[in-house]
Amino acid sequence: MSENGIGAAVLRKEDDRLLTGRGQFTDDINRPGQAHMSILRSPLAHARIVSIDTSAAEEAPGVVAVLTGREMAEDGVGGLPCGWLITSKDGSPMVEPPHPALPADRVRYVGDQVAAVIAETREAARAAAALVDVEYEELPAAATLASATRDGAPLVWDEAPGNICYDWEVGDAEATEAAFRGADHIVSLDVVNNRLIPNAIEPRAAIGEYDSRTGDHTLFTTTQNPHLIRLLLGAFVMGIPESKLRIVAPDVGGGFGSKIHHYAEEVIVTWAAKRLGRPVKWTAERSESFVSDRHGRDHLSHAELALDAEGRFLGLRVTTAANLGAYLSTFSTCVPTYLYGILFAGPYTTPAIYVEVKGVFSNTVPVDALRGAGRPEATFLLERLVDKAARETGIDPVELRRRNLIRPDQFPYQTPVALQYDVGDYQATLDLALEMAGADAFEERRAEARARGRLRGLGVSTFLEACGIAPSAVVGSLGCRAGLYESGQVRVHPTGSVTVYTGTHSHGQGHETTFAQLVSDELGVPIDQVEVVHGDTQQIPFGMGTYGSRSLAVGGAAIYNATQKVINKGKRIAAHLLEASEADIEFENGSFTVAGTDRAKAFGEIALAAYVPHDYPIEELEPGLDETAFYDPKNFTFPAGAHIVEVEIDPETGTVELVQVTGVDDLGRIINPMIVAGQLHGGLAHGIGQALLEECQYDENGQLLTGSYLNYTMPRAADLPNFELGHNTTLCTHNPLGVKGVGEVGSIGVCPAVINAVVDALSEHGVTHIDMPATPERVWRAIQSSQA
Amino acid sequence: MSSLTLNVNGRSVTADVPDRTLLVECIREALGLTGTHVGCDTSQCGACVVLVDGRSVKSCSMFAWEADGAEVTTIEGLASDGSLHPMQQAFKEHHGLQCGFCTPGMVLSAVDLATHHADASESEVREWLEGNLCRCTGYQNIVKAVLVGAEAMEAGA
């Protein structure tokens, strides 16, 4: 391992600018002559727009224009497309309603865009928005998942009876029924997966700009996904050739999935900038973020597990209703299906599985991917069910898991729900986690706590996730309307420094460092001479962005392949310069050497020869040293882990204290252990937030009750412990780096471990399940009702 | 309108801003110092924390005119002579930032804590950061950085 190469905890290259206030986030950018936009949003969950009178707003000081859905329709601006077609059980396609950026006739959730007010200053735009007079005819709302699925529920879309977007299935229903018929135990569980609001700390922002001289559009936007936004906005919404549309995603302040999607505001500023002939800037206020950033999770599920007398899992069946919100957001439809249903084998050998999912429209903010996206929901349900099975059969929860974990000699392992796992060692991961958590001595700690009047519990979760999204042919056959490969370009400059262009986007993950380490290691170039460029469609060949823990597994693999092309070309140049056969040239530590001799050329010499080709095989080799690779993964990657949580509960108040959180994970090869630990910490915090603190709530009229940090509980420093992390590594077998991904692991594995620990602590009160978030009130009530 | 004179990052500056202008708006828009961030509209997130006369203040929670005559330190004013302030250095060495959006507020809150309570314990650091939200780090490395940075500040004082 070189000092700054693969495996080294290199300090981040991006930190100096971010620590000194020299980062450049979208709201930090101001364009000459720009106007400011404020969006007037629907105050009602469901209403017909009877009329919009913009005259008073148009006359207000500083107002440039007030635009509504009518003007947008006149200009032929299309709706926001959905990226993934889901086919129902009966073969019919999902119901795919229109998704206008500015609806003209009906609003469908609190926060839906009604008008764009554009003025000289942000304050003037805001003030004028209050003068737009909208007459609504309020309609009954389907405000929650439960109310949207009730008989006779108000319809969000007339074309979607019962509010059903799709009724999807995966697995073998018949085989699963047969497994249940032969079972010794059947365990069932109803689970709510609580709705979350993403809350990246940087609010979304967008600036549209149009150059009438050239016809070029530029959109600065807070996205994880610049090329996909260009594709969707250019080809599907606005009809702008991609050669005339540049998307720039500068420093982006966290995403967690919420900045993957194509948003209405991106359309509106792009359209308005051309219409008005000046740049238009919009920055969300946090109150707007709460009602317009795509929300996450929100499932109601019923699940049953069939076991034989020894506790072996025979079959699993799951029925889920998943809230999609009012419109189909970019990836919303695949989250509760292909990122959820196919995860139900987990790390276990369950031979028969059947999963049914209904995607449900409601009069709420659209729901889409949020850190983990489908996989946390599946993992929570499965790991709660396994724990309940342990209690009902009397088998220790760890022992029950051991009896069912896939053994190392069973890989590659084909699950009954489509996935083929390449590699893993789940038993050893669990063993290490138990040792680190001191599980052996837990009962002593429980007894000691009991003596103090406290309830102590230990919860385990063994899990895996499908990451590194994704093999294009596979997702294509499942309805994805894009290929999910990645590009990487390695441009070697004449004197040997390197610029790397990646189609992934970094918004906290540290790609500028990790990818530089990778290239430095492969090419032997000092890390301070490797620059990583991302987030600008004008500079980067193409890309599918950052989500699904894919950046290193897919984007890193593309960069790696590009470095190999550079090395191969370098060998041909070196062979010529050294008058040797290409087959005899070896490349190591930045030096091209004739095997078995001391004749060598340094990497920089080869680079110079490539650009100053005076002594060069120019008949057979083009000058230059600049290589691009597109990498399409052969399979998903399967990070896996065992998370163990120990809690102590005060029965008088219901307060849950996290005594210890242990996470042992198999992430494949680790490039930068410092960054990996940071990713795990953040994911664990997100998962603990879901388990103990966070819940998005609507009232029956569709009004958001948790619309600010005053009533939506974000994890704060004092809510969280230090995490104990360990690794048990097997290398991914099908990508060149052996990497698996880390961004989502924490949020996927830890929720069930927390709740299993809480239920364990409360079990002596007869509690068998508690829904997330396990707030003090909910825990206290569970204790009280058991005593009643 | 208010005509203000502030000492910002060691330099005297004047600004003419409407009376209702918040200090954070004055810093970002009138003075062009965009290192101070806005993450919410309810004074909860702490991304806008600056030092006013040496104490950390959420600059969204005071008017610009209230700072007339004050010494204001923003994140741009912390490093000196091209080298990071010990608290910035600690954040870098202990990976106390990921996306970097909450970071300016975190660092300046931490500088206030370290200046006035150099020997704060880990739990005191966690309580102190109650008004600074981070979604990326789970706070573990921030807390570690604050403890190390406080020690380094005291050693250098």
Side-chain angles (χ1 to χ4, degrees):
Chain A
M1 183 179 91
S2 70
E3 192 188 342
N4 293 315
I6 290 173
V10 177
L11 300 184
R12 299 200 321 169
K13 291 164 76 83
E14 38 277 87
D15 283 359
D16 281 0
R17 73 169 187 273
L18 295 172
L19 275 164
T20 55
R22 291 176 298 171
Q24 191 178 51
F25 296 86
T26 301
D27 189 56
D28 300 341
I29 297 169
N30 293 297
R31 303 300 298 163
Q34 75 186 7
H36 296 263
M37 179 172 87
S38 176
I39 299 285
L40 177 69
R41 296 180 183 278
S42 172
L44 300 172
H46 199 187
R48 196 170 70 81
I49 299 174
V50 178
S51 64
I52 303 177
D53 181 354
T54 59
S55 54
E58 280 163 358
E59 285 159 23
V63 170
V64 176
V66 182
L67 302 174
T68 67
R70 193 195 317 165
E71 287 80 24
M72 192 164 254
E74 279 167 13
D75 284 356
V77 177
L80 300 167
C82 178
W84 202 305
L85 173 71
I86 301 298
T87 303
S88 288
K89 287 173 189 170
D90 63 4
S92 61
M94 68 185 187
V95 178
E96 196 169 359
H99 190 175
L102 281 172
D105 55 353
R106 198 155 137 186
V107 285
R108 287 181 165 83
Y109 64 94
V110 171
D112 209 349
Q113 306 80 221
V114 176
V117 179
I118 296 159
E120 297 297 339
T121 65
R122 186 157 38 184
E123 291 67 33
R126 255 184 237 165
L131 300 174
V132 177
D133 186 10
V134 186
E135 187 187 340
Y136 295 103
E137 177 194 334
E138 188 166 4
L139 301 169
T144 61
L145 190 50
S147 66
T149 48
R150 212 170 279 151
D151 281 345
L155 292 187
V156 182
W157 295 96
D158 299 339
E159 59 266 48
N163 289 316
I164 301 301
C165 174
Y166 53 73
D167 183 4
W168 175 87
E169 64 180 350
V170 69
D172 188 333
E174 225 166 90
T176 307
E177 291 311 309
F180 274 82
R181 282 196 296 274
D184 291 289
H185 304 281
I186 294 177
V187 181
S188 70
L189 181 67
D190 290 295
V191 161
V192 178
N193 203 286
N194 43 325
R195 184 177 177 118
L196 303 180
I197 301 178
N199 280 307
I201 303 298
E202 180 204 23
R204 287 189 298 113
I207 307 169
E209 188 167 8
Y210 178 69
D211 184 339
S212 61
R213 187 178 54 87
T214 60
D216 290 335
H217 293 262
T218 303
L219 171 67
F220 300 89
T221 183
T222 48
T223 186
Q224 305 174 218
N225 212 1
H227 287 87
L228 195 67
I229 300 304
R230 187 181 65 172
L231 181 67
L232 296 174
L233 176 61
F236 294 93
V237 183
M238 296 282 295
I240 304 167
E242 282 158 298
S243 53
K244 289 288 181 195
L245 177 60
R246 176 186 183 188
I247 311 291
V248 182
D251 284 321
V252 172
F256 317 106
S258 71
K259 293 171 180 168
I260 299 172
H261 327 304
H262 187 22
Y263 281 95
E265 295 85 359
E266 294 170 327
V267 175
I268 301 170
V269 296
T270 304
W271 165 64
K274 182 176 181 185
R275 193 178 160 105
L276 303 177
R278 58 193 288 192
V280 175
K281 176 174 180 175
W282 169 80
T283 302
E285 296 175 61
R286 178 58 57 182
S287 309
E288 282 187 282
S289 307
F290 274 95
V291 296
S292 68
D293 290 1
R294 281 20 183 163
H295 293 178
R297 319 279 194 257
D298 201 352
H299 288 192
L300 294 173
S301 296
H302 175 75
E304 294 172 294
L305 182 65
L307 303 92
D308 71 10
E310 283 76 45
R312 277 187 290 269
F313 304 161
L314 302 175
L316 172 69
R317 56 189 172 204
V318 177
T319 308
T320 292
N323 199 343
L324 300 172
Y327 300 90
L328 298 182
S329 177
T330 313
F331 284 121
S332 58
T333 52
C334 74
V335 173
T337 50
Y338 291 108
L339 296 179
Y340 172 74
I342 63 174
L343 264 293
F344 273 107
Y348 306 119
T349 54
T350 317
I353 297 174
Y354 181 61
V355 182
E356 297 170 284
V357 180
K358 285 190 172 75
V360 179
F361 291 111
S362 65
N363 291 112
T364 63
V365 172
V367 178
D368 206 325
L370 171 64
R371 199 168 199 163
R375 291 151 290 169
E377 295 91 312
T379 301
F380 183 72
L381 182 53
L382 184 58
E383 285 304 289
R384 281 294 302 128
L385 190 59
V386 169
D387 234 53
K388 190 151 185 265
R391 291 192 184 280
E392 293 188 11
T393 59
I395 303 171
D396 175 78
V398 170
E399 174 57 25
L400 182 63
R401 287 176 169 86
R402 278 195 201 290
R403 289 183 195 177
N404 289 282
L405 289 173
I406 299 163
R407 296 186 317 273
D409 62 3
Q410 289 177 289
F411 293 98
Y413 182 83
Q414 178 63 52
T415 77
V417 275
L419 296 174
Q420 190 186 72
Y421 306 156
D422 62 334
V423 67
D425 188 353
Y426 308 146
Q427 300 274 1
T429 301
L430 176 59
D431 287 341
L432 179 56
L434 290 165
E435 188 193 323
M436 286 176 59
D440 278 355
F442 170 71
E443 288 303 332
E444 291 158 35
R445 297 195 292 277
R446 194 202 301 262
E448 185 274 330
R450 191 176 285 122
R452 289 185 280 110
R454 299 297 174 101
L455 304 170
R456 198 149 170 137
L458 186 80
V460 175
S461 150
T462 49
F463 64 95
L464 65 73
E465 45 172 329
C467 290
I469 293 170
S472 295
V474 173
V475 296
S477 71
L478 301 177
C480 183
R481 289 160 167 165
L484 296 178
Y485 55 83
E486 195 46 76
S487 83
Q489 182 181 9
V490 174
R491 177 175 295 169
V492 183
H493 301 291
T495 58
S497 66
V498 178
T499 306
V500 180
Y501 302 86
T502 174
T504 66
H505 184 274
S506 186
H507 32 279
Q509 298 89 337
H511 295 175
E512 292 168 39
T513 306
T514 301
F515 292 164
Q517 277 179 262
L518 169 58
V519 170
S520 169
D521 211 61
E522 286 304 316
L523 299 183
V525 174
I527 194 166
D528 59 6
Q529 292 181 33
V530 181
E531 288 301 317
V532 176
V533 176
H534 60 95
D536 184 348
T537 59
Q538 202 167 71
Q539 296 193 64
I540 294 143
F542 199 70
M544 296 308 298
T546 286
Y547 44 84
S549 306
R550 69 189 301 275
S551 295
L552 183 59
V554 189
I559 292 168
Y560 172 86
N561 284 356
T563 64
Q564 301 312 298
K565 289 186 178 181
V566 165
I567 291 168
N568 289 338
K569 185 167 181 181
K571 283 183 177 174
R572 294 177 68 185
I573 301 168
H576 174 86
L577 295 176
L578 294 166
E579 296 175 338
S581 154
E582 187 188 329
D584 291 337
I585 303 293
E586 291 173 346
F587 181 69
E588 208 175 348
N589 299 325
S591 182
F592 293 89
T593 309
V594 181
T597 75
D598 57 359
R599 286 190 296 140
K601 288 283 179 190
F603 184 77
E605 292 179 275
I606 296 299
L608 190 64
Y611 287 97
V612 186
H614 295 170
D615 177 16
Y616 192 85
I618 204 142
E619 302 293 322
E620 57 201 61
L621 205 56
E622 293 173 5
L625 198 53
D626 183 354
E627 298 288 345
T628 300
F630 284 73
Y631 176 78
D632 193 63
K634 296 176 192 70
N635 191 356
F636 295 92
T637 61
F638 300 99
H643 289 182
I644 300 180
V645 171
E646 192 164 332
V647 300
E648 202 167 286
I649 294 173
D650 180 346
E652 299 297 318
T653 64
T655 306
V656 177
E657 182 197 346
L658 292 166
V659 181
Q660 191 173 344
V661 176
T662 306
V664 175
D665 292 290
D666 179 355
L667 309 168
R669 189 185 310 283
I670 289 171
I671 309 286
N672 186 321
M674 178 191 81
I675 288 175
V676 162
Q679 291 291 306
L680 288 167
H681 295 163
L684 289 165
H686 221 137
I688 288 167
Q690 171 163 25
L692 295 179
L693 302 168
E694 298 180 42
E695 182 170 42
C696 169
Q697 290 186 340
Y698 281 94
D699 73 8
E700 278 300 308
N701 298 317
Q703 292 294 331
L704 181 62
L705 300 175
T706 52
S708 85
Y709 290 141
L710 299 166
N711 40 33
Y712 184 88
T713 315
M714 290 278 283
R716 291 168 195 260
D719 295 322
L720 297 168
N722 287 315
F723 306 113
E724 304 296 325
L725 303 181
H727 298 288
N728 175 56
T729 300
T730 63
L731 299 183
C732 174
T733 60
H734 57 78
N735 65 45
L737 297 167
V739 298
K740 297 184 182 180
V742 64
E744 299 164 295
V745 172
S747 64
I748 291 171
V750 82
C751 291
V754 173
I755 298 299
N756 288 345
V758 170
V759 172
D760 184 47
L762 300 180
S763 59
E764 63 190 68
H765 289 274
V767 174
T768 58
H769 180 66
I770 193 162
D771 280 322
M772 299 188 290
T775 57
E777 181 195 352
R778 198 169 270 168
V779 171
W780 184 83
R781 284 185 191 282
I783 295 169
Q784 298 305 308
S785 62
S786 73
Q787 288 167 347
Chain B
M1 294 292 281
S2 304
S3 186
L4 313 174
T5 303
L6 307 169
N7 186 304
V8 179
N9 301 331
R11 288 206 329 223
S12 181
V13 295
T14 56
D16 293 313
V17 294
D19 292 344
R20 57 183 286 182
T21 304
L22 299 173
L23 179 58
V24 66
E25 295 168 331
C26 177
I27 290 169
R28 282 183 62 80
E29 292 161 26
L31 305 179
L33 295 169
T34 56
T36 303
H37 296 152
V38 178
C40 77
D41 46 14
T42 52
S43 297
Q44 294 280 305
C45 79
C48 68
V49 166
V50 299
L51 300 180
V52 176
D53 292 331
R55 298 309 300 245
S56 56
V57 169
K58 287 178 175 172
S59 61
C60 70
S61 66
M62 67 189 282
F63 290 112
W65 59 261
E66 291 180 280
D68 192 15
E71 285 194 18
V72 176
T73 304
T74 71
I75 194 68
E76 290 92 342
L78 211 51
S80 57
D81 303 329
S83 58
L84 296 177
H85 180 280
M87 190 59 76
Q88 291 169 314
Q89 187 66 29
F91 269 69
K92 179 176 178 176
E93 286 177 7
H94 295 278
H95 192 27
L97 66 154
Q98 291 184 24
C99 79
F101 195 81
C102 76
T103 307
M106 284 286 179
V107 169
L108 290 165
S109 287
V111 167
D112 183 4
L113 175 70
T115 304
H116 297 97
H117 310 279
D119 55 352
S121 67
E122 181 187 326
S123 66
E124 286 169 331
V125 170
R126 287 184 181 272
E127 290 297 333
W128 177 262
L129 295 177
E130 197 263 351
N132 292 83
L133 290 176
C134 170
R135 193 54 140 173
C136 294
T137 65
Y139 301 99
Q140 180 161 331
N141 287 345
I142 291 176
V143 172
K144 198 194 302 176
V146 174
L147 291 167
V148 172
E151 215 171 294
M153 280 171 63
E154 190 165 54

